[in-house]
Amino acid sequence: MAVHDHSHRHVGFRLPARRRSGTASAAAGAEVTTATSAYALAGLRLLTGFVFLWAFLDKTFGLGYATRSGNGWTDGGSPTEGFLGGVAVGPMESTFHDWAGAAWADWLFMLGLLGIGLALTAGIALRLAAVAGTVMMALMWIAEWPPAKHLSDGSPSMSTNPFADYHLVYAVVLIALAAAGAGAVWGLGRAWARLPIVSRNRWLL
């Protein structure tokens, strides 16, 4: 009887210990996964921010990459004229031609690149950056019109996919970063969220 009772007491003490150990291990694993995900999202945020900031700098100063030296915005060039003027396919082809080189289009495009790039780099206002960036990427997707196999003149469009292209990927990345609140790691997201105006207007996060 004594041995039987002792056996039950022994098993009774060991099982909770196993449960606690298993729970602790699972919690520790979840914390590591969460931390790793946060750093991965922070890295993705910074890289994406650099894409937008570099595009702004190259188009502003003509750094010799996408924009030739001497053709920068500060040199009198237009950031939109070449791209929008060269649209040769899609339902908004003539509209984009009308917009090409317009001062308001240049300013909106460049302010968008700068604002989105700074927001992503700093880790603030990611929701606004996601909205602005998604609109910009959607317009650029329409300008390139991946569904078309041929341009307006009948030549091959060289489209590699009828739907998914890098513009859509960037849009999804921006939305994911905003949804995940990816500005806290390697960014000013926490300090930004504590500002009174941001606390009262959560859409500014």
Side-chain angles (χ1 to χ4, degrees):
M1 185 65 137
V3 172
H4 181 72
D5 290 343
H6 177 73
S7 174
H8 275 288
R9 285 197 299 273
H10 181 68
V11 173
F13 281 116
R14 288 182 65 187
L15 287 177
R18 285 174 183 161
R19 291 193 193 100
R20 285 195 296 272
S21 177
T23 303
S25 297
E31 288 178 4
V32 171
T33 301
T34 301
T36 302
S37 299
Y39 285 114
L41 286 172
L44 179 62
R45 191 197 81 235
L46 290 172
L47 285 173
T48 308
F50 182 71
V51 169
F52 283 88
L53 277 181
W54 180 259
F56 170 81
L57 293 172
D58 185 53
K59 293 179 185 302
T60 299
F61 301 108
L63 300 179
Y65 287 84
T67 306
R68 293 196 304 271
S69 179
N71 284 2
W73 199 23
T74 54
D75 300 310
S78 169
T80 63
E81 186 172 9
F83 178 69
L84 294 182
V87 172
V89 68
M92 294 183 63
E93 179 179 351
S94 60
T95 301
F96 286 134
H97 290 171
D98 291 338
W99 292 357
W104 64 267
D106 288 345
W107 277 96
L108 280 180
F109 180 58
M110 295 300 282
L111 288 177
L113 289 177
L114 178 61
I116 295 167
L118 289 177
L120 291 173
T121 303
I124 62 175
L126 295 183
R127 293 182 181 179
L128 286 175
V131 172
T134 298
V135 171
M136 181 184 292
M137 292 299 105
L139 287 171
M140 295 178 75
W141 185 90
I142 295 172
E144 294 197 0
W145 200 244
K149 294 181 179 179
H150 299 90
L151 302 179
S152 299
D153 61 4
S155 61
S157 68
M158 305 304 291
S159 175
T160 59
N161 190 295
F163 176 71
D165 75 341
Y166 67 97
H167 296 109
L168 293 186
V169 173
Y170 280 134
V172 172
V173 167
L174 291 170
I175 293 169
L177 291 174
V185 176
W186 297 337
L188 304 174
R190 288 195 180 94
W192 176 261
R194 288 195 296 267
L195 294 176
I197 187 172
V198 178
S199 299
R200 292 192 301 270
N201 301 279
R202 305 306 289 175
W203 56 271
L204 290 173
L205 284 172

